[in-house]
Amino acid sequence: MAALGLASSLPLLLLLVIAGAGGAQWRGEGTTRHLQSIILGRCAEHVALLNPEQGEKNCTAIWEAFKVVLDKDPCSVFPSDYDLFINLSRHSIPTDKSLFWENNHLLVTSYAENARRFVPLCSVLYGRMGDFLSWCRQENASELDYQSCPTSEDCENNPVDSFWKRASMQYSRDSSGVIYVMLNGSEPTGAYPVKGFFADFEIPYFQKDKITRIEIWVMHEIGRPKVESCGEGSVKILEERLKQMGFQYSCINDHLPVKLLKCVDHSTHPDCALKSRLSAFYRYRSCKVSFCETMAPYTAIAETGRWCHPGTLCFSLPPLVQNVSGE
């Protein structure tokens, strides 16, 4: 009877082994379904609707250059494998519009507003085509792996990480003027990862002769602890690094335009109670609105009498209003 029971369970064990063999092999998400259609569609949309002034791009040729990596072993894809793809899809980035970030992907995407406000990496053509996607070939096979793809924990030279390394390097080289950096001051591990894409594949590729200054925004999550702020912890490490590299820089906690956007989804939270800060505006009817022609940060109000920031409205404040820094 014991032998019969074992014999009858063998088919079930075999099925479990087969099922396990066909399951997820890597830690990352599998190849995005309809990958080719999505990339070609994003390319066409960018060229025709979002950024037509950049001129025509051959989206078919760009896809052909991209898909070369889909024929390679998923742990043997290098940043240089995307050289042709980047060269075919790159375009100029407007001066003073580059926005770098760490641990703020969705917030950056929302604030950039399809490159109308800023142009982060995910808004340039080559970045847009890969944003939120995953791709890789099956190991020891020719088909795409829809179950899982490797991350940096599986192997360093995986398709997605190598893509963003190459894209980050190009984006940094093409950025100019005032450089903006958005960090997450509520991130438990620190606002500025000392080993990360910004630290390793963007800062080293800044073109110093093209950059006037760097402005850091340390944003804090609504209702969550303020782990780090300007001049603290890893943010201080970043500031010291930029200083050693010879860059002029400034740092702002909770950059007000971005905080207002965050508060759209948390309008009743105490962190979003701006009434006490803005009441001064309503007490003085003589407040005038004009466009700010200077690059002064919010902390300069006491000296300039203005609350302003590049690209935003500038309010002329009465002398009694000393500080509206967004902190």
Side-chain angles (χ1 to χ4, degrees):
M1 292 293 291
L4 179 61
L6 178 61
S8 63
S9 65
L10 285 176
L12 177 59
L13 291 173
L14 182 60
L15 286 174
L16 290 174
V17 171
I18 294 174
Q25 177 181 359
W26 310 107
R27 291 177 172 84
E29 294 183 4
T31 300
T32 305
R33 298 282 177 178
H34 312 296
L35 180 67
Q36 179 178 353
S37 297
I38 293 173
I39 290 180
L40 287 173
R42 287 180 175 181
C43 180
E45 180 187 34
H46 186 97
V47 171
L49 300 177
L50 299 179
N51 209 353
E53 65 273 10
Q54 294 291 344
E56 288 295 321
K57 295 288 185 182
N58 188 333
C59 293
T60 301
I62 290 173
W63 163 254
E64 292 296 322
F66 175 87
K67 75 172 189 177
V68 169
V69 303
L70 301 179
D71 294 326
K72 301 194 67 174
D73 181 274
C75 283
S76 298
V77 177
F78 300 90
S80 59
D81 291 325
Y82 292 100
D83 282 352
L84 179 58
F85 166 80
I86 293 291
N87 291 334
L88 291 175
S89 58
R90 65 178 290 222
H91 54 81
S92 62
I93 301 172
T95 300
D96 302 336
K97 293 296 184 180
S98 292
L99 176 57
F100 294 79
W101 57 272
E102 282 285 5
N103 298 311
N104 271 315
H105 193 173
L106 291 176
L107 180 59
V108 165
T109 302
S110 298
Y111 188 64
E113 198 180 4
N114 283 326
R116 292 181 179 90
R117 188 175 287 119
F118 283 94
V119 185
L121 175 53
C122 55
S123 291
V124 298
L125 177 54
Y126 51 84
R128 179 173 175 78
M129 285 188 285
D131 202 26
F132 290 111
L133 302 182
S134 181
W135 59 90
C136 68
R137 194 201 73 184
Q138 292 180 18
E139 190 176 32
N140 302 319
S142 60
E143 301 297 320
L144 296 179
D145 192 336
Y146 292 102
Q147 295 295 319
S148 63
C149 286
T151 67
S152 58
E153 297 180 66
D154 297 303
C155 56
E156 178 182 0
N157 299 312
N158 64 78
V160 175
D161 280 348
S162 291
F163 174 91
W164 290 114
K165 289 174 184 178
R166 181 62 180 87
S168 292
M169 290 186 280
Q170 190 64 54
Y171 179 71
S172 292
R173 292 189 182 108
D174 293 339
S175 295
S176 62
V178 181
I179 300 298
Y180 298 94
V181 182
M182 188 187 298
L183 303 177
N184 190 337
S186 296
E187 173 61 34
T189 58
Y192 166 66
V194 294
K195 296 294 292 181
F197 280 93
F198 181 54
D200 296 336
F201 301 100
E202 292 176 337
I203 292 178
Y205 296 91
F206 282 159
Q207 304 298 295
K208 195 171 185 300
D209 59 328
K210 296 166 56 178
I211 295 174
T212 54
R213 66 184 180 88
I214 298 173
E215 186 169 299
I216 306 165
W217 304 337
V218 182
M219 304 305 302
H220 300 97
E221 299 293 340
I222 305 300
R224 288 178 53 188
K226 294 185 177 182
V227 178
E228 290 182 345
S229 297
C230 293
E232 299 175 354
S234 64
V235 182
K236 185 176 182 180
I237 293 175
L238 171 60
E239 292 173 340
E240 291 176 347
R241 180 179 183 183
L242 296 177
K243 182 178 180 180
Q244 290 173 0
M245 294 176 70
F247 288 109
Q248 294 185 9
Y249 70 90
S250 60
C251 186
I252 299 173
N253 290 319
D254 291 315
H255 179 50
L256 190 55
V258 181
K259 183 168 183 176
L260 292 175
L261 176 62
K262 291 171 71 67
C263 284
V264 169
D265 296 324
H266 303 275
S267 59
T268 61
H269 195 280
D271 287 355
C272 294
L274 301 176
K275 188 174 181 179
S276 60
R277 297 174 184 170
L278 298 181
S279 59
F281 294 110
Y282 301 109
R283 288 200 301 269
Y284 297 95
R285 294 185 179 181
S286 60
C287 256
K288 296 179 180 180
V289 180
S290 63
F291 279 101
C292 184
E293 297 176 352
T294 70
M295 303 299 282
Y298 297 115
T299 52
I301 287 176
E303 300 174 5
T304 65
R306 287 185 157 197
W307 172 45
C308 55
H309 191 272
T312 66
L313 287 176
C314 180
F315 292 84
S316 296
L317 300 180
L320 292 178
V321 182
Q322 295 297 315
N323 184 23
V324 181
S325 64
E327 295 182 0

